[in-house]
Amino acid sequence: MERGKNTVSLPTDLILEIFTRLPSKSVARFRTLSKHWASTLHSPDFKKLFLTRSSARPRLLFAVERYRYNEWFFFSSPQPQNRYETSLPLEYHTKFEGDVCQYICSYASGLIYFPFVRIIDKEKPLICNPITGMYDDLPIRGCSRSRGFLGFDPIDEQFKVLDFHSVLTVESGEPEWRDTEDVSVDLYHLYHRCSNAGICINGVLYYLAQTYIEPSFVIVSFDVRSEKLEFIDASCLNDHVEHPSELSLVNSQGKLGVINCKCADAGGIELCMWVLEDVKTQEWVKCVYTLPQNEVLDSCEFKVAGVAATGEIVLCMKYTCDPYYAFYFNPVKNTLQCVEIQGFGAKFDATVEKRGVVYGIVDYVEDLNLNDAEQLKSSISQIKSLCSCCQKGGQHNHNIEEEV
């Protein structure tokens, strides 16, 4: 029998189904095969199908900062699909070097925003795709350093940055800062922003603030589409929290949640979560959970990564180490799942100087529209950093296998 006589080509629908199960970087490579595949894999229908499939298997995104070296690394790992999974692989994505100063990064709908990055010949805010490494720098607000948060409007599909009462729409061309016309901005002189990162939920950006006189917690709410600012009373947190850094803002089933972790009186770890049940009435509901005893969790420093769509509260070890673990607490069943994330490696924590601080982000979904975003034009791996100490810049080797 002649070779190839019974060769049967696969149906296009089946091929597209296979492509939807690949990482976005692999899809990008297959687009270069031919004009036909470039057109097919760039089509809106395929992008929508890919997003649907990706949403069904969300990932845990890790942003790792090695501040002694002015380095940021981005990794991701699958989230467990069942309670029996005890280990999951880690995938490296990209890295950049640049002095980020003291301002924490902000995340919204697949993009990372750094309010202030010092790179060669410029000091600007920066927005990037942590999976592909594509980025663009943004203009500084007036003469001051930006310290804003990133938000996303799912209706108009627009990213915007809020810095106090100034707004910048992230788009191709030359974006410019502008002041909001909301009358509530007059209240800004009564509040100061806390250092906690903001969170965007269903097109609304939230961040934590405190009053200057008789300090009390408030939540600043910003509707990304209408650009309307509101202030939500959060004085329920006053008697339970000593410092704002103890609090984490989370998306709790589509509602704003605030979580505080502390040691329980009877031993172990206690999670206090306040959920904003009704924005109009500003009604908060408090839940207190005592986590089941776990030798690994009880012996390490950890941070709240968020609340998964499944309702599990996700905790991550604060520093890179080997082995490294993430923890999934189910408040309904009162169960704690300890999952080893394999791949950080021993080199990250060989010394205190080399270890990295880990920021976890739950339910990360790959979106091909972000890969093709017109405003992201440069590769973050080509960034040249500017050392704030010696003011010397240079191109760095970005081989993760050699440097980590």
Side-chain angles (χ1 to χ4, degrees):
M1 182 180 296
E2 295 182 20
R3 180 176 296 181
K5 274 289 186 179
N6 294 330
T7 301
V8 178
S9 60
L10 295 175
T12 301
D13 290 346
L14 179 57
I15 295 177
L16 293 180
E17 179 69 22
I18 295 173
F19 278 128
T20 62
R21 299 175 184 272
L22 298 176
S24 60
K25 284 187 177 181
S26 298
V27 173
R29 288 195 295 268
F30 278 111
R31 285 172 169 177
T32 63
L33 291 176
S34 66
K35 291 183 179 180
H36 168 71
W37 285 116
S39 175
T40 301
L41 301 181
H42 272 290
S43 68
D45 288 343
F46 176 75
K47 289 182 179 181
K48 183 178 180 180
L49 180 61
F50 185 92
L51 180 59
T52 300
R53 293 294 187 188
S54 183
S55 299
R57 52 177 193 274
R59 301 178 68 84
L60 182 57
L61 179 68
F62 298 101
V64 179
E65 177 190 19
R66 290 209 298 183
Y67 60 88
R68 292 178 182 268
Y69 298 88
N70 294 329
E71 296 174 332
W72 281 84
F73 300 85
F74 297 101
F75 306 84
S76 71
S77 177
Q79 293 179 182
Q81 298 298 303
N82 60 69
R83 62 187 182 91
Y84 300 106
E85 290 185 278
T86 58
S87 65
L88 290 168
L90 184 75
E91 181 181 355
Y92 165 72
H93 296 296
T94 190
K95 166 194 176 181
F96 85 91
E97 300 184 37
D99 188 355
V100 184
C101 291
Q102 73 273 28
Y103 305 130
I104 194 170
C105 60
S106 176
Y107 171 84
S109 195
L111 294 183
I112 299 283
Y113 171 72
F114 291 94
F116 179 83
V117 180
R118 182 181 290 112
I119 54 182
I120 289 295
D121 298 329
K122 61 181 72 174
E123 297 176 347
K124 288 189 174 183
L126 180 148
I127 188 169
C128 76
N129 183 328
I131 301 299
T132 65
M134 301 303 289
Y135 85 99
D136 195 12
D137 51 45
L138 304 173
I140 294 178
R141 182 177 67 91
C143 298
S144 64
R145 296 177 177 179
S146 173
R147 291 179 289 171
F149 299 110
L150 182 66
F152 178 70
D153 168 23
I155 297 177
D156 292 337
E157 297 184 344
Q158 282 189 328
F159 288 91
K160 295 181 182 180
V161 177
L162 174 69
D163 188 1
F164 291 99
H165 55 82
S166 295
V167 182
L168 181 144
T169 300
V170 180
E171 56 188 9
S172 56
E174 297 295 331
E176 294 183 355
W177 289 96
R178 63 187 184 281
D179 288 337
T180 64
E181 298 179 0
D182 199 311
V183 293
S184 61
V185 299
D186 294 334
L187 299 174
Y188 258 102
H189 69 281
L190 300 176
Y191 303 94
H192 68 94
R193 199 204 77 174
C194 298
S195 60
N196 301 59
I199 187 169
C200 190
I201 304 174
N202 299 329
V204 180
L205 176 63
Y206 302 94
Y207 70 85
L208 190 67
Q210 281 184 300
T211 56
Y212 280 109
I213 304 173
E214 297 183 2
S216 179
F217 287 109
V218 294
I219 296 290
V220 178
S221 167
F222 174 71
D223 188 296
V224 181
R225 187 163 188 253
S226 67
E227 301 186 1
K228 181 179 180 181
L229 285 160
E230 292 185 359
F231 295 85
I232 300 171
D233 176 50
S235 56
C236 56
L237 306 175
N238 293 346
D239 297 332
H240 305 277
V241 180
E242 294 183 3
H243 194 273
S245 61
E246 300 174 11
L247 299 174
S248 300
L249 273 60
V250 298
N251 180 349
S252 178
Q253 310 290 292
K255 298 178 180 179
L256 174 66
V258 182
I259 295 181
N260 178 35
C261 303
K262 62 180 182 180
C263 294
D265 294 335
I269 297 170
E270 184 178 271
L271 294 181
C272 296
M273 183 164 72
W274 294 264
V275 177
L276 184 59
E277 285 292 330
D278 192 306
V279 176
K280 292 183 179 180
T281 62
Q282 302 190 9
E283 175 190 357
W284 293 86
V285 174
K286 179 185 177 184
C287 298
V288 180
Y289 307 104
T290 301
L291 273 58
Q293 293 288 324
N294 181 277
E295 183 178 351
V296 178
L297 182 61
D298 293 343
S299 62
C300 72
E301 293 185 74
F302 62 90
K303 302 174 70 173
V304 176
V307 178
T310 54
E312 294 170 307
I313 299 174
V314 184
L315 311 173
C316 293
M317 296 177 74
K318 185 176 181 179
Y319 299 104
T320 55
C321 60
D322 188 17
Y324 181 89
Y325 293 92
F327 310 89
Y328 292 78
F329 172 66
N330 188 319
V332 177
K333 299 180 180 179
N334 193 37
T335 57
L336 182 67
Q337 183 175 1
C338 180
V339 179
E340 181 180 354
I341 308 298
Q342 299 180 334
F344 273 122
K347 291 184 180 180
F348 246 139
D349 73 318
T351 63
V352 173
E353 289 79 9
K354 286 191 175 182
R355 72 180 183 180
V357 180
V358 181
Y359 302 90
I361 300 169
V362 300
D363 292 335
Y364 180 83
V365 173
E366 289 191 84
D367 185 350
L368 293 179
N369 288 306
L370 289 181
N371 292 21
D372 301 332
E374 293 183 0
Q375 68 266 25
L376 303 179
K377 299 177 181 178
S378 306
S379 173
I380 206 167
S381 64
Q382 301 303 314
I383 268 192
K384 295 180 180 180
S385 65
L386 181 65
C387 176
S388 59
C389 300
C390 61
Q391 297 297 302
K392 294 181 180 179
Q395 188 79 32
H396 298 269
N397 182 354
H398 294 275
N399 188 326
I400 187 72
E401 299 298 334
E402 295 179 3
E403 295 197 19
V404 180

